[in-house]
Amino acid sequence: MNKLLDEKLVAQSYNLQDWQKGYLSQPNEHEYWIDEIEGEIPTGLQGTLFRNGPGLLDIHGTPVRHPFDGDGMVCAISFMEGRAHFRNRFVRTEGFVKEREAGKILYRGVFGTQKPGGWLNNAFDFRLKNIANTNVIYWGGKLLALWEAAEPYRLEPSTLETIGIDLLDGVLEPGDAFAAHPRIDPSCHLDGGAPVLVNFSLKVGLSTNINIYEFSLEGKLLRRHAHNVPGFCFIHDFAITPNYCIFFQNAVTFDPLSFALGWKGAGECVKFHPHKPTRIVAIPRTAPYKEVKVWEAQSGFVFHHANAFESEDKIYIDSICYDSLPEVEPGADYKETDFEALAPGQFWRFALNLQEGSVGRQMIESRCCEFPAIHPDKVGRPYRYLFTGAAAAHNPQGNAPLQAILKLDLHTQERQLWSFAPQGYVSEPIFVPQPNALREDEGWLLTMVYDSSRHRSQVAILDGRDLDKGPIAVLHLKHHIPYGLHGSWTNQCFVS
Ligand code: FE
């Protein structure tokens, strides 16, 4: 091995072969009380952490082209009086059930998975396989697995058994989309200070319809309005303030021909335009919903926003930005990702001037990060602490797998970082406030960590005030869970 390569390997916090193992399928479903625990589970931590993500990275031995095409598998980790119970179940979507019966791939995946038989067997097949793999929320007494291009699937929270497609008491029509990134306004001024769930759906064509929905704590529809935005939109997430829903219309176009002819998956037909601006659209949450504001910012690609808030004549929005869309190359193997060749996600603050229509932007954190999280009571409000998955301590610059949890004090710029490198790979952190907490960072961060040394996953609990001291508790699962996407916390515990 030459010296240069040798030095590079020594400096790396990760090993590609280790990282790849976190993308092996987990076909088995488990339920058990977790009995291998380092440290102690805080007794004040009572409730359930729900997680969703691709459980199958192959369908009867044929690999999916991209993890985003993997069938949704929901995990529930229930915390009760210092103990923790684990359960995982696949969402029995129509596609999952039919493919299991057939023993082969029956649907095209959005991110490039194709039916066997080449393009001729894929051409003009526009059916979507709702894989329900992106997020899971408990709201209005329902546990819902979400995938942004189709309807939610409802699950039984105590068993994770699939009940079926849920049209939210008639709010959705069959076939409607419902985004996977709902935001919970902790205290909505339109509803007497009650918590409200806000979400959106897109109907994409030459122009795009953005539908916005707001639901009460009981799951009843409070407000619904639709807006037309010129051009194609690829909008995965949004942010809210008390008065606005804010969307980033990334500078992308869609080539329908390659999709229609069966040459590429829909996601592979999205093209990023680095010289075109990102359009930022703020839609009012208050009737008559007419005063839509639009800004243009320097191009870049955003999947996730951390938060937004209003202050004087500005809306601030904090987002993870990439210099360009990590495009899905047809034929490329996601497991061979060359991290160093890809632009890292970095944390930026945008200031949208409501009077002048100008946009300011500032990079706050250059370390590669993804999956931002904050205190749930600070959604849409000024806040102080950002928590996010991040590259390990060894990797302050450039792209790398997420191996650490970063805490950023936005008032003092102080940073704390706990790294699970070299053999741990983190998922999205979820912040759970401590009961009767006085400080914004007084709570626990829960994150699922893939431990490549044992090919098993663990749930790590970190102290929100002090990440540097390491996990308060590490709960070792008996198996691995493939890298997940999103999840949520509820104070309800579903284990008897
Ligand atoms: Fe997401």
Side-chain angles (χ1 to χ4, degrees), residues 68 134-135 148 180-181 236-237 303-305 370-371 428 485-486:
F68 294 170
T134 313
N135 202 348
E148 67 196 39
H181 274 283
H236 173 69
D237 189 11
F303 285 107
H304 295 128
H305 304 287
E370 231 336 330
F371 295 131
E428 170 191 63
L485 293 168
H486 299 290

Side-chain angles (χ1 to χ4, degrees), residues 71-273:
D71 286 300
M73 185 181 76
V74 171
C75 299
I77 300 106
S78 305
F79 295 89
M80 194 187 213
E81 294 165 4
R83 301 173 72 206
H85 182 274
F86 177 86
R87 175 180 278 116
N88 71 311
R89 290 282 182 279
F90 281 94
V91 186
R92 264 60 175 181
T93 62
E94 186 187 342
F96 175 86
V97 171
K98 284 189 171 167
E99 285 184 331
R100 203 155 75 155
E101 285 167 3
K104 62 178 183 184
I105 295 177
L106 298 176
Y107 301 84
R108 301 174 77 185
V110 170
F111 290 89
T113 305
Q114 300 272 54
K115 293 183 290 182
W119 67 271
L120 269 174
N121 199 35
N122 286 277
F124 303 108
D125 183 351
F126 301 119
R127 293 173 305 156
L128 282 175
K129 180 187 173 194
N130 180 348
I131 48 178
N133 73 352
T134 313
N135 202 348
V136 54
I137 53 161
Y138 186 70
W139 187 264
K142 293 177 180 178
L143 184 66
L144 300 171
L146 304 177
W147 184 66
E148 67 196 39
E151 316 92 326
Y153 265 87
R154 185 176 175 188
L155 313 177
E156 167 58 51
S158 56
T159 61
L160 299 183
E161 277 167 28
T162 303
I163 296 169
I165 282 179
D166 194 282
L167 298 175
L168 307 176
D169 300 328
V171 172
L172 302 179
E173 301 277 335
D176 275 356
F178 194 66
H181 274 283
R183 297 277 173 182
I184 296 171
D185 181 339
S187 171
C188 182
H189 68 98
L190 302 168
D191 304 291
V196 163
L197 182 137
V198 189
N199 200 13
F200 70 98
S201 70
L202 299 183
K203 200 166 251 179
V204 181
L206 293 176
S207 65
T208 301
N209 268 323
I210 303 179
N211 293 287
I212 294 172
Y213 312 85
E214 304 209 6
F215 296 90
S216 71
L217 203 51
E218 293 76 33
K220 296 278 171 268
L221 184 70
L222 297 166
R223 289 172 284 283
R224 173 185 192 155
H225 41 112
H227 303 266
N228 194 264
V229 174
F232 173 74
C233 283
F234 179 7
I235 300 174
H236 173 69
D237 189 11
F238 76 135
I240 60 168
T241 66
N243 294 300
Y244 294 96
C245 294
I246 304 130
F247 299 86
F248 275 39
Q249 188 181 9
N250 296 297
V252 292
T253 51
F254 182 70
D255 163 25
L257 197 63
S258 300
F259 174 58
L261 295 177
W263 298 340
K264 295 179 179 179
E268 296 167 309
C269 299
V270 175
K271 184 157 179 49
F272 179 71
H273 298 278

Side-chain angles (χ1 to χ4, degrees), residues 24-30 55-56 73 88 90 479-482:
L24 289 170
S25 292
Q26 176 51 271
N28 302 313
E29 297 181 317
H30 302 266
L56 289 184
M73 185 181 76
N88 71 311
F90 281 94
H479 46 79
H480 87 291
I481 295 294

